[in-house]
Amino acid sequence: MKLDKNLKICIVGLGLIGGSYAQALSDEGYEVGAVAKRRQTIDFALEKGWIAHGVTDVTAQYISKFDIVVFALYPHIFVEWIEKYQSCLKSGAVITDVTGVKGCVVYKIQEMLRDDVEFIAAHPMAGREKSGIEYASKEIFRQANYIVTPTAKNTATAVEICESLGETLGFKTVSRLSPEEHDEMIGFLSQLTHCIAVSLMTCRDTDGFEKYTGDSFRDLTRIANINDVMWSELFLLNKDELLKQMELFEAAFSKLKKAIETGDKDKMRSIMKLSTEHRKRFDKEGN
């Protein structure tokens, strides 16, 4: 189900994801406004037709116009925004986010938020290796997954609005997890993979290797071109879960290493067959 076209939507933070939200929603016919730090960012979005209007200063006069407010900010900045500006939000507004960790954010925001405003968290599992609105595109959502993370404080109406937002944006699948389930899954599916890519790119001097590499190395290290400010924050905010996933990976890597050391071909083949079997599940999903 798509959102009511009469709802006015504000995007706070017009980077890669916020800009992509703005484009997708405007193309669907919604009135989209925005808040960004730089006037150049607002002007870029206006020129593209991704927003109807936008501001660089937060005021009640502007923010109170919107029924839905999407926060495309780093987690700590999102918390600071709510602390400082939540009085500007319209009574009855639904707010959501795009942050990559939930447990340490969702409950904190819900605890501090006014009773007449509801926060329903979501995580668009989409992105690129480059940041900034100039790289934004609604196409990044087409084959991507969107996760809604409701809590006991959320109403069925807000959850439905948030899920409808994901469908309207064009995500391939929309699903629900608790904040805790989300952080465990994201620790494995996203954060661990970034750790592996970073480690692979930094475990030795690769100067000149670009002349000889094949697709396997390029594919494995695509996400090693990383936003160090954002990802270091996400890693630490999900530290306990991420460390558990790193330990699982270390154990599996050690098992394969031992099979190679001992010349145990049967063990190696067994591990590889299991890997192939598991990968086929993702192939069936079109990934």
Side-chain angles (χ1 to χ4, degrees):
M1 184 182 74
K2 292 194 175 183
L3 289 172
D4 180 347
K5 284 287 177 68
N6 294 315
L7 294 173
K8 296 181 179 180
I9 304 170
C10 181
I11 313 294
V12 180
L14 280 179
L16 171 68
I17 299 299
S20 299
Y21 268 54
Q23 181 193 13
L25 292 168
S26 289
D27 284 355
E28 286 291 325
Y30 293 90
E31 180 180 337
V32 179
V35 180
K37 289 192 299 183
R38 299 186 307 140
R39 187 68 221 179
Q40 299 96 306
T41 302
I42 296 294
D43 290 342
F44 181 92
L46 286 169
E47 289 169 11
K48 290 285 188 179
W50 295 352
I51 58 174
H53 38 74
V55 298
T56 56
D57 295 319
V58 179
T59 64
Q61 182 180 7
Y62 187 72
I63 298 298
S64 62
K65 296 177 181 179
F66 299 99
D67 305 292
I68 299 173
V69 182
V70 179
F71 290 90
L73 304 171
Y74 290 173
H76 75 279
I77 298 176
F78 178 26
V79 172
E80 290 170 1
W81 197 102
I82 295 299
E83 289 175 335
K84 189 173 182 179
Y85 298 118
Q86 66 166 297
S87 62
C88 298
L89 294 164
K90 176 182 181 179
S91 180
V94 172
I95 69 172
T96 187
D97 69 334
V98 305
T99 55
V101 289
K102 295 305 179 193
C104 60
V105 174
V106 175
Y107 301 110
K108 182 181 291 186
I109 296 291
Q110 289 184 335
E111 184 65 28
M112 69 171 65
L113 198 60
R114 290 162 32 199
D115 291 339
D116 61 338
V117 176
E118 185 167 351
F119 172 44
I120 173 66
H123 185 184
M125 296 289 288
R128 285 180 167 169
E129 291 69 61
K130 295 182 179 180
S131 59
I133 193 171
E134 61 269 29
Y135 299 105
S137 170
K138 66 180 183 180
E139 296 306 316
I140 65 175
F141 303 144
R142 294 293 175 249
Q143 293 300 314
N145 301 314
Y146 178 89
I147 304 171
V148 180
T149 60
T151 73
K153 286 195 171 185
N154 287 123
T155 62
T157 299
V159 174
E160 184 178 333
I161 287 172
C162 193
E163 290 179 337
S164 297
L165 176 62
E167 293 172 12
T168 302
L169 288 164
F171 281 90
K172 183 182 68 173
T173 61
V174 175
S175 58
R176 292 187 199 182
L177 290 173
S178 70
E180 293 78 14
E181 290 170 331
H182 168 275
D183 288 352
E184 179 186 4
M185 289 298 100
I186 217 68
F188 177 70
L189 293 171
S190 179
Q191 295 180 342
L192 175 62
T193 55
H194 281 78
C195 288
I196 293 169
V198 168
S199 298
L200 190 55
M201 285 303 305
T202 57
C203 68
R204 64 167 295 166
D205 182 5
T206 57
D207 186 38
F209 276 22
E210 66 277 5
K211 300 174 185 176
Y212 317 112
T213 188
D215 290 342
S216 58
F217 190 84
R218 277 192 290 266
D219 290 346
L220 277 171
T221 58
R222 177 182 59 81
I223 55 176
N225 185 2
I226 194 167
N227 180 334
D228 57 287
V229 176
M230 180 180 74
W231 282 99
S232 59
E233 179 175 354
L234 294 176
F235 286 174
L236 292 178
L237 287 173
N238 202 32
K239 176 181 176 180
D240 291 343
E241 284 296 342
L242 177 55
L243 288 173
K244 289 178 187 177
Q245 305 308 320
M246 293 177 82
E247 288 165 3
L248 283 174
F249 178 78
E250 287 173 345
F253 193 83
S254 295
K255 188 182 295 185
L256 180 58
K257 179 183 176 185
K258 184 176 180 180
I260 295 170
E261 284 177 339
T262 59
D264 190 343
K265 183 182 286 188
D266 289 341
K267 186 63 176 177
M268 280 189 280
R269 292 187 63 189
S270 175
I271 293 170
M272 291 173 184
K273 286 178 180 178
L274 182 61
S275 170
T276 300
E277 180 184 336
H278 285 184
R279 186 61 181 87
K280 285 178 181 177
R281 300 174 188 171
F282 291 84
D283 293 333
K284 289 178 182 177
E285 293 298 322
N287 296 321

